[in-house]
Amino acid sequence: MPRLISIAAVFLVFLCTQTLAETVRFNAGDGVEITAEFLKPEGEFSNILVLYHMAGASRGEYRDIAPVFNELGYATLAVDQRSGGGFNGVTNETASKAGGAVSYTKAIPDMLAAAEWARQNSGARQVGVLGSSYSAGLVLVLAAQSRDFADVVISFSPGEYFGSANFVSGKLKEMKVPVFLTSARNETRQWKAFEAKISAPVTGFVPQGVGRHGATTLVSADGIEYWDALKKFLSEHFPAR
């Protein structure tokens, strides 16, 4: 019964928070227009999470996830990157405007611009980033390269998806901010080597259940254990207020 009540509560929060959603548009450094969805919790907030989708997807990946973060007190910015397509019935507007399928690393200007928008325009004091699949690898690289990119990093199913055996792992010794790493259980080996290279505070979560690839594991049958681990990490390193 408690689980049913929890799911019902999240659904009600989803219905309410959608009325507060704002579509925002801003330009990447090379001029491509980016579409994102900005969602604020009720009342005051201190921190925002920028949510980046997986391959072939859109900001719709976070349709059922962002409201839960809002319930926890975080603002969210769900981003359409130019390397993507559609998800949950939501078309990736950035990819459409950028001319279709491009390589994963072409999305880096979009990710940088979104984090900058969040820092300058959201009203939050700190910016966290959450990546899914290919973007999970890129948030690690970008955070390691620049402390200004993020104050905390959450990485779901990261891997070396970029044509080099150390595109991600070669940067991680420079990481200075707390990191949360996880994936489906059968993907654990992909990020365990990353965990070993990070000297900043790092939490590597291996689920008891099967899980799912990318951030959508948060809405999988095993989602509750992921949420529990993530909430613990956030309370320690990135409290909502």
Side-chain angles (χ1 to χ4, degrees), residues 25-40:
R25 294 180 175 86
F26 45 88
N27 290 340
D30 60 0
V32 170
E33 185 180 70
I34 302 159
T35 297
E37 189 166 279
F38 179 44
L39 200 58
K40 295 186 291 185

Side-chain angles (χ1 to χ4, degrees), residues 14 22 26 46 68 108 111 120 132-133 156 197 217:
F14 168 72
E22 176 187 359
F26 45 88
S46 296
V68 184
I108 287 175
M111 297 173 68
Q120 295 184 355
S132 177
S133 190
F156 282 85
K197 291 180 178 293
T217 198

Side-chain angles (χ1 to χ4, degrees), residues 2 42 70 77 95 157-158 165 178 206 209 222:
E42 292 187 12
N70 297 149
L77 185 72
S157 301
V206 180
D222 301 307

Side-chain angles (χ1 to χ4, degrees), residues 202-222:
V202 57
T203 297
F205 175 67
V206 180
Q208 294 296 312
V210 174
R212 190 189 293 172
H213 181 70
T216 59
T217 198
L218 290 169
V219 290
S220 72
D222 301 307

